[in-house]
Amino acid sequence: MEHIVIIGNGISGVTAARHIRKQSDKKITIVSDETDYFFSRTALMYIYMGHMKFEHTQPYENHFWKKNRIDLKRGRVKTVETTSKTLIFENNESLTYDTLIIATGSKPNKFGWPGQDLKGAQGLYSKQDLDALEEMAPNNKSCQRAVIVGGGLIGIELAEMLNSRGIPVTFLVRENSFWNGVLPQGESEMINRHIKSHHIDLRLATNLKSIQDDGNGRVKSVIIEETGEEIPCNVVGLTAGVTPNIDFLKSSAIETDKGVLVNRQLETNIKGIYAIGDCAQQREAIGQRRSIEAVWYTGRMMGEVVAQTICGNPRTYNPGHWFNSAKFLDIEYQTYGWVFSEKNKPVYEAHFHWKHDDDTKCITVAFHKENQQFLGINTFGIRMRHEVFDRWLTEKRDIDFVIQHLSEANFDPEFYKRFEKDILKTYQNQFQNA
């Protein structure tokens, strides 16, 4: 019987296992050194904040795996020997496979800062990271200040978590405005103000120089690159992005770049070996998407695609129109299609921006300057319907149509009615009277 081994029990690996089982009786083994059972990584923050317990983040009962004949093995893979189709573990155990799926996810970036490996300096990605944070920052007596390095989505989550326990936070962001490599200026500046309104010490255009040791291998403080200022702290959150977790493949015959290189069928250079999720890198980027996408829903889609292919229904990975969602403290964020920041904006792209007076709600609509085609939308503090924007992007609607029909996309029509006139008026003032 064909033996399929999946390294990694995140959303990608588990989706692949479930869909292979739905369509076949192949032997399946999931390997992980993180946890015994799959859990929802995006919910880690809510455990720390007291909204849920760890077991609430496990979508399947523990007996689900046995019932579905999916074997679970706890262990860390040291090397993959592709000729003999064997995994060698750090404890020198081995496991053979017929088909291999690499779904090892990401790890937090470290940039060689002095002190980056001290106790108390950590990312927020794994269950182990959550356990370490619980140990180092249980309350504001044990942890009198935390410093977060890097202004992305994980950084803002960590700030919210620490804030929920009354732990003062200093947030070091290298850019001169929060996430301005992704967000247009008006949105980025609104998020700056929102972060500060939560009494978070946001330091823009500020770099970390080093993390200081208290003499016992723990974090004592950080030193700021630009000023030499020393900020005492007990925890340093390293949230300057993530990179594929593939160090164990460096000595193997599997081709890697930043991630594991795959084609549109998600297969590597070696027949019968696939890579999916955060650790997979498309040899050729799909449309305007990045070649590596550390996004929950694309990981799930890749798991479904690879399962079909392995079960004899070859599929091409086609993620469709870009979308994503996140939360900046109290402000929900959604994006559909492409809305580029000022520094990354193509010459043909123009923006319509509307912001509410309360400074917690705004939309930015991107469109083509010449033919007015709708290219994408960012929404903050307003929930929109994914399927509506997906359809409009496919139909190549123009911006006039989108603005006139925005109420159809709104999740909360009551809410939209309150702002409809203001959005229309702002749009007419910005463009139609120009």
Side-chain angles (χ1 to χ4, degrees), residues 42-249:
T42 50
L44 279 177
M45 67 183 291
Y46 299 112
I47 301 168
Y48 183 86
M49 292 169 73
H51 300 176
M52 58 201 320
K53 294 190 168 128
F54 181 67
E55 55 266 31
H56 300 154
T57 70
Q58 295 178 204
Y60 308 105
E61 298 284 351
N62 293 349
H63 62 74
F64 169 89
W65 308 100
K66 197 168 186 180
K67 183 183 157 194
N68 286 279
R69 304 186 320 286
I70 296 171
D71 297 332
L72 305 175
K73 178 171 175 57
R74 191 85 183 257
R76 179 178 279 262
V77 178
K78 185 169 66 175
T79 49
V80 178
E81 294 182 354
T82 54
T83 320
S84 62
K85 297 191 170 185
T86 307
L87 306 183
I88 309 295
F89 292 85
E90 285 195 339
N91 63 3
N92 289 323
E93 286 183 11
S94 63
L95 181 69
T96 58
Y97 63 85
D98 296 303
T99 299
L100 180 65
I101 301 173
I102 301 162
T104 46
S106 299
K107 58 178 185 177
N109 284 334
K110 290 184 175 182
F111 292 102
W113 297 294
Q116 66 183 17
D117 296 318
L118 289 170
K119 195 169 170 64
Q122 64 163 91
L124 180 69
Y125 185 86
S126 66
K127 171 67 164 59
Q128 284 80 357
D129 291 335
L130 180 69
D131 294 342
L133 189 67
E134 193 61 71
E135 180 193 343
M136 300 304 291
N139 53 50
N140 56 16
K141 291 183 180 60
S142 299
C143 180
Q144 292 175 10
R145 177 167 292 275
V147 173
I148 297 173
V149 182
L153 298 179
I154 298 175
I156 196 82
E157 282 187 359
L158 185 52
E160 183 175 0
M161 289 161 67
L162 293 158
N163 211 20
S164 75
R165 293 198 185 182
I167 295 169
V169 174
T170 295
F171 206 160
L172 309 183
V173 174
R174 189 180 58 186
E175 294 80 19
N176 57 16
S177 188
F178 189 86
W179 219 35
N180 68 353
V182 177
L183 299 178
Q185 187 178 346
E187 300 171 352
S188 173
E189 289 173 352
M190 185 179 88
I191 297 302
N192 293 342
R193 294 188 293 270
H194 188 65
I195 291 168
K196 289 175 181 172
S197 76
H198 282 74
H199 310 292
I200 291 166
D201 173 26
L202 178 63
R203 310 275 190 101
L204 298 169
T206 304
N207 284 276
L208 172 69
K209 182 179 183 182
S210 63
I211 304 169
Q212 302 300 105
D213 191 330
D214 72 348
N216 298 306
R218 288 177 172 240
V219 166
K220 178 185 80 166
S221 61
V222 300
I223 306 289
I224 301 296
E225 176 79 55
E226 288 75 10
T227 60
E229 179 191 353
E230 182 170 7
I231 303 174
C233 59
N234 308 97
V235 165
V236 178
L238 302 176
T239 61
V242 292
T243 42
N245 181 22
I246 58 164
D247 290 347
F248 71 102
L249 296 174

